Amino acid sequence: MSEHNPFPDEGNTGHIWDDNIRELANPVPNWWMMAFYASIAFVIGYVVIYPSIPLATSHTKGVTGWTAIGEYKAAIAEVEAIRKPFEDKIAAKTAQEILADEELSAYVEASGKVIFGDNCAACHGNGGAGNVGFPVLADDDWLYGGTIGQIQTTITNGRKGMMPAHAATLSADEISTLASYVVGLSEGKVDEKGKALFQGKACFACHGMDAKGMAALGSANLTDGIWRFNEADILASATRTITHGVNAAGDDETRNAEMPSFKDKLSEADIKKMAVYVYKFGGGK
């Protein structure tokens, strides 16, 4: 094509299409060449300074010996050095003493969020607001007691609720009467027929004569309007609980209510942190 170039003095390559579309042979702009050589220099410098080239069993180390994991470990060490004085104090104090120490208490409130998020929030929700079927930790209703010591015991050993299924011991009418009675109690109503049945069937043995529950047994307060299984139809929910119980062996429809033990998952210090953190939600007492 070059021997028939209609633009011989233009400085093109001789590649011409459709009579006048051609490839020019202009030199690359200086700024582009400067950037090109600078990028080469940058790559050479990077390879010399930082680990870059993979080898058979390792890689080039670079003159600085820098690695991302090394920087990460250094940052962790720096954080741990800042936290160490607080962590040492926590290890030496009880949960009650940590709660009473304003500085430590503030530290736990800030640092405990991560531990709570990793281990507790899936069931109890962010901020202890509770998810469906799991207890709220930010109110003042505690099955096993809400003191700092009781909360620590609960986290350490876990809890497993227990209520027998009454499907085989009570008639459908009796279950209906009891369900209506306990729902009425939470609304400030007292049905004498239901009260007589409540006492006659010895429900008070677990829930107390005043139906306010017993922390030693983990039995529910039936008068406060706070329901462990907070479903849309409270009466139907209470009926099911009375009928099938809680963790009742042999009943496929029983309620499941169990909190795992964290003594083998969290350190003693972290358990104390969690006890203080949960207590400070505002529901501890």
Side-chain angles (χ1 to χ4, degrees):
M1 288 185 285
S2 58
E3 59 269 21
H4 302 293
N5 189 344
F7 308 99
D9 301 322
E10 185 182 44
N12 61 58
T13 63
H15 298 157
I16 301 172
W17 300 268
D18 295 334
D19 296 329
N20 62 357
I21 299 176
R22 61 265 190 203
E23 180 183 9
L24 301 181
N26 294 335
V28 177
N30 289 336
W31 67 265
W32 193 96
M33 291 303 299
M34 291 172 63
F36 174 69
Y37 290 126
S39 66
I40 293 175
F42 174 81
V43 170
I44 293 172
Y46 189 96
V47 170
V48 170
I49 295 171
Y50 295 106
S52 307
I53 302 174
L55 304 175
T57 59
S58 182
H59 55 80
T60 57
K61 307 298 183 182
V63 296
T64 62
W66 177 93
T67 63
I69 191 65
E71 183 175 345
Y72 165 76
K73 289 180 178 179
I76 291 295
E78 183 179 352
V79 171
E80 288 179 346
I82 295 172
R83 296 178 60 181
K84 188 176 187 305
F86 296 99
E87 295 293 331
D88 289 346
K89 289 181 181 179
I90 287 173
K93 290 179 178 287
T94 66
Q96 291 90 335
E97 290 170 335
I98 296 169
L99 186 63
D101 186 313
E102 185 175 343
E103 186 179 36
L104 277 184
S105 182
Y107 169 78
V108 168
E109 190 169 3
S111 63
K113 183 176 182 180
V114 174
I115 305 173
F116 185 87
D118 289 344
N119 297 279
C120 313
C123 294
H124 295 290
N126 292 326
N131 288 324
V132 176
F134 296 94
V136 174
L137 302 179
D139 59 20
D140 60 358
D141 182 71
W142 297 87
L143 291 177
Y144 297 93
T147 67
I148 185 70
Q150 289 165 328
I151 293 173
Q152 184 177 353
T153 298
T154 295
I155 297 170
T156 302
N157 299 323
R159 300 289 188 180
K160 185 172 183 177
M162 181 183 69
M163 175 175 169
H166 291 285
T169 59
L170 297 176
S171 68
D173 287 342
E174 288 174 326
I175 290 174
S176 177
T177 298
L178 279 175
S180 297
Y181 172 68
V182 298
V183 171
L185 287 177
S186 68
E187 298 170 347
K189 305 171 185 177
V190 178
D191 174 69
E192 292 302 325
K193 181 180 178 182
K195 181 178 181 180
L197 188 59
F198 182 86
Q199 295 177 351
K201 296 299 181 178
C203 301
F204 63 84
C206 292
H207 294 284
M209 289 298 294
D210 57 2
K212 291 187 177 181
M214 299 181 186
L217 299 176
S219 55
N221 182 346
L222 304 176
T223 68
D224 59 8
I226 299 174
W227 299 94
R228 169 67 174 81
F229 306 100
N230 192 11
E231 298 165 358
D233 189 337
I234 298 300
L235 181 59
S237 179
T239 300
R240 178 187 166 183
T241 301
I242 295 169
T243 303
H244 300 289
V246 178
N247 294 324
D251 191 317
D252 293 337
E253 295 185 57
T254 192
R255 300 289 198 180
N256 294 313
E258 183 173 2
M259 175 178 166
S261 165
F262 284 89
K263 64 183 177 183
D264 295 325
K265 186 174 183 181
L266 296 178
S267 68
E268 183 179 352
D270 282 348
I271 287 176
K272 286 188 282 188
K273 287 182 192 177
M274 279 298 87
V276 172
Y277 186 77
V278 169
Y279 186 92
K280 287 172 73 69
F281 281 149
K285 61 179 181 178

